[in-house]
């Protein structure tokens, strides 16, 4: 059957319908998004210019912050401007582009978290070989692999979606374009496509989560042979990463590893991982990492205690 489209523009239902509530959300979410861009951008800048943050851990952290900015920017600016609009619209091509980049950066973030867990595993379990294993070249290969994985995943999702015919209705029941709400608008049965999309997203999320859990189980087992001070410092370093993993995977598993629904609660969960979680990234890492805080003070020309300028590797 030939693909035919009578729909060229989609109407987004949004998060809430009450204009007063929407204006209140605008007043809340605009500063949150600005904090996301500024906070994560500050981490990227600090790692790039600071000579004390040259270990692979900080290289991966700056990459994660860049992905966070990109991931949030695919959804939040449009969402915020729509809060002030009576009719929220997006072209079908724009919707496809939003879906592509949303899943592209989302999977790139998942794989970046896996790479960071691998870095912690090597640092704690193979400390004497750490710098030889995590070479400059290998770190760039791992980062490139996370981008490639996100690209391949998104291409699969889009190739499935662009073949669907859309002939009406054109109201998407969400505050941004995502696959399951868009599939409900297709004028054909999308059960097979929905299963393939769910399997694609679900397998990546599940396998990545199992890898993360396995890596930290191995790390915890190996920490038993460390001194009490070494365990404390290693666990402190890993705690920030574990917190980010839980905040990202919790909502993602809730939404993408079960049958889709249109409950308001689902939209609120989506707000958490698209708007709130990216903002928490710099807070989590700077509050628990003395070296990052010192480097940020230095970036702004403030004096800091020279005794805190030790290398990260000596903490283990």
């Amino acid at each position: 059957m030939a693909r035919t489209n009578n729909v060229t523009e989609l109407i987004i239902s949004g998060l809430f319908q009450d204009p007063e509530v929407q204006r209140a959300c605008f007043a809340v979410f605009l500063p949150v998004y600005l904090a996301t861009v500024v906070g994560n951008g500050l981490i990227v800048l600090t790692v790039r210019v600071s000579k004390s943050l040259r270990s692979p851990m900080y290289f991966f952290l700056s990459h994660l912050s860049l992905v966070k900015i990109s991931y949030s920017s695919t959804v939040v600016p449009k969402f915020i401007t729509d809060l002030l609009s009576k009719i929220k619209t997006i072209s079908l091509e724009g919707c496809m582009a939003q879906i592509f980049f949303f899943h592209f950066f989302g999977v790139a973030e998942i794989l970046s978290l896996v790479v960071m867990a691998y870095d912690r595993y090597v640092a704690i379990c193979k400390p004497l070989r750490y710098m030889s294993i995590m070479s400059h070249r290998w770190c760039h290969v791992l980062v490139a692999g996370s981008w490639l994985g996100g690209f391949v995943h998104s291409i699969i999702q889009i190739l499935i979606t662009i073949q669907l015919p859309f002939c009406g209705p054109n109201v998407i029941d969400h505050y941004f374009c995502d696959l399951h709400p868009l599939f409900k608008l297709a004028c054909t049965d999308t059960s097979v496509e929905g299963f393939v999309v769910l399997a694609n997203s679900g397998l990546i999320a599940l396998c990545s989560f199992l890898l993360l859990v396995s890596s930290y189980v191995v790390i915890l087992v190996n920490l038993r042979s460390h001194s009490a001070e070494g365990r404390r410092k290693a666990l402190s370093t890993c705690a920030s990463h574990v917190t980010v993993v839980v905040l990202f995977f919790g909502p993602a598993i809730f939404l993408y590893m079960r049958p889709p629904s249109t409950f308001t609660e689902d939209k609120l969960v989506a707000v958490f991982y698209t708007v709130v979680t990216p903002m928490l990234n710099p807070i989590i890492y700077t509050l628990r990492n003395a070296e990052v805080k010192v480097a940020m003070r230095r970036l702004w020309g403030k004096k800091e205690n020279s005794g805190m300028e030790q290398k990260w590797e000596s903490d283990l």
Side-chain angles (χ1 to χ4, degrees), residues 3-309:
R3 174 183 178 273
T4 58
N5 277 340
N6 297 328
V7 174
T8 59
E9 189 175 68
L10 299 172
I11 298 175
I12 300 173
S13 65
L15 188 60
F16 300 107
Q17 301 303 316
D18 189 327
E20 293 295 329
V21 175
Q22 291 189 67
R23 282 192 287 270
C25 289
F26 176 86
V28 171
F29 293 142
L30 178 60
V32 169
Y33 175 67
L34 294 177
T36 297
V37 175
V38 172
N40 285 286
L42 186 58
I43 287 181
V44 174
L45 179 62
T46 301
V47 173
R48 181 173 293 272
V49 303
S50 176
K51 295 181 180 179
S52 63
L53 303 180
R54 294 304 185 193
S55 72
M57 179 178 74
Y58 297 113
F59 171 72
F60 294 133
L61 173 59
S62 68
H63 172 253
L64 177 67
S65 297
L66 180 61
V67 174
K68 289 280 189 182
I69 294 173
S70 304
Y71 177 72
S72 182
S73 297
T74 62
V75 171
V76 181
K78 169 70 172 154
F79 168 51
I80 291 174
T81 55
D82 282 346
L83 289 171
L84 300 180
S85 304
K86 291 184 178 179
I87 301 178
K88 307 165 182 58
T89 61
I90 187 171
S91 66
L92 186 59
E93 293 79 8
C95 184
M96 295 289 183
Q98 190 176 64
I99 289 173
F100 174 83
F101 286 107
F102 179 72
H103 284 265
F104 173 40
F105 293 122
V107 170
E109 179 173 351
I110 289 175
L111 298 179
S112 296
L113 292 172
V114 173
V115 167
M116 292 177 75
Y118 172 70
D119 173 68
R120 296 299 85 227
Y121 161 77
V122 176
I124 294 172
C125 300
K126 302 178 184 296
L128 299 179
R129 299 177 56 203
Y130 177 68
M131 294 311 298
S132 62
I133 294 176
M134 302 303 296
S135 64
H136 184 76
R137 178 187 179 90
W138 181 235
C139 288
H140 280 83
V141 168
L142 291 173
V143 166
S146 67
W147 288 108
L148 180 61
F151 179 78
V152 172
H153 165 78
S154 291
I155 283 292
I156 293 173
Q157 306 290 65
I158 287 298
L159 288 178
I160 293 171
T161 307
I162 61 175
Q163 301 179 51
L164 298 175
F166 296 95
C167 45
N170 69 332
V171 178
I172 187 166
D173 187 17
H174 215 311
Y175 65 89
F176 69 98
C177 284
D178 204 359
L179 290 166
H180 291 303
L182 184 62
F183 280 4
K184 294 180 180 179
L185 304 183
C187 47
T188 186
D189 180 34
T190 59
S191 56
V192 174
E193 289 83 357
F195 175 78
V196 173
V197 163
L198 182 64
N200 188 15
S201 299
L203 283 175
I204 291 176
L206 180 60
C207 293
S208 299
F209 186 72
L210 291 176
L211 281 172
L212 287 165
V213 172
S214 300
S215 67
Y216 277 102
V217 168
V218 175
I219 286 172
L220 289 174
V221 170
N222 276 268
L223 281 177
R224 292 185 303 177
S225 60
H226 287 60
S227 65
E229 182 65 14
R231 285 197 298 269
R232 185 191 66 79
K233 291 181 177 180
L235 289 174
S236 178
T237 302
C238 295
S240 299
H241 183 248
V242 172
T243 303
V244 172
V245 167
V246 171
L247 289 174
F248 183 85
F249 275 91
I253 290 174
F254 175 78
L255 290 177
Y256 289 102
M257 294 191 66
R258 64 181 180 82
S261 63
T262 56
F263 296 129
T264 302
E265 291 81 1
D266 286 14
K267 295 181 183 180
L268 294 177
V269 171
V271 167
F272 181 77
Y273 74 79
T274 57
V275 182
V276 179
T277 300
M279 179 199 67
L280 298 177
N281 184 63
I283 297 174
I284 292 169
Y285 279 104
T286 55
L287 288 180
R288 297 190 61 89
N289 194 299
E291 282 196 347
V292 174
K293 288 188 286 187
V294 168
M296 284 186 173
R297 293 192 194 104
R298 183 183 296 126
L299 181 65
W300 291 99
K302 295 182 179 180
K303 293 182 179 180
E304 62 279 330
N305 187 346
S306 59
M308 298 181 68
E309 296 177 359

